[in-house]
């Protein structure tokens, strides 16, 4: 049970959830009337880093076979 809590599959699910949360937060923040540009850049940078980590984990969990 302990190893399941730290499995790559579980980490991937957590990253996807965090990415979706950031998407929603960015959407809400962009609708505000004075928009905080620095905050938006930081949120978008974090979202991009999450996307990269998700891609890396997906590749580890389901590697593409060479053609």
């Amino acid at each position: 049970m302990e190893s399941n809590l730290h499995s790559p599959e579980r980490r991937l699910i957590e990253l996807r959830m965090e990415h979706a949360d950031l998407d929603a937060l960015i959407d809400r923040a962009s609708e505000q009337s004075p928009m905080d540009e620095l905050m938006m850049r930081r949120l978008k940078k974090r979202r991009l880093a999450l996307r990269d980590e998700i891609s890396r984990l997906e590749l580890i969990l389901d590697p593409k076979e060479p053609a």
Side-chain angles (χ1 to χ4, degrees):
M1 184 72 175
E2 178 78 21
S3 65
N4 195 22
L5 293 175
H6 302 291
S7 70
E9 291 86 0
R10 182 175 176 96
R11 179 71 179 140
L12 185 58
I13 291 168
E14 291 170 351
L15 289 172
R16 286 178 176 159
M17 289 170 56
E18 187 177 349
H19 188 271
D21 290 344
L22 268 177
D23 271 342
L25 184 60
I26 289 169
D27 287 343
R28 282 193 309 270
S30 66
E31 294 170 356
Q32 290 179 356
S33 226
M35 192 170 46
D36 185 347
E37 292 294 327
L38 180 60
M39 182 188 72
M40 288 297 286
R41 280 197 306 254
R42 287 177 176 164
L43 290 173
K44 288 179 179 183
K45 187 174 182 178
R46 175 66 183 144
R47 183 178 60 177
L48 184 58
L50 283 172
R51 186 66 231 157
D52 290 344
E53 193 171 346
I54 289 168
S55 296
R56 184 184 58 77
L57 267 177
E58 286 174 340
L59 213 76
I60 290 170
L61 293 173
D62 187 26
K64 306 289 183 227
E65 292 187 30

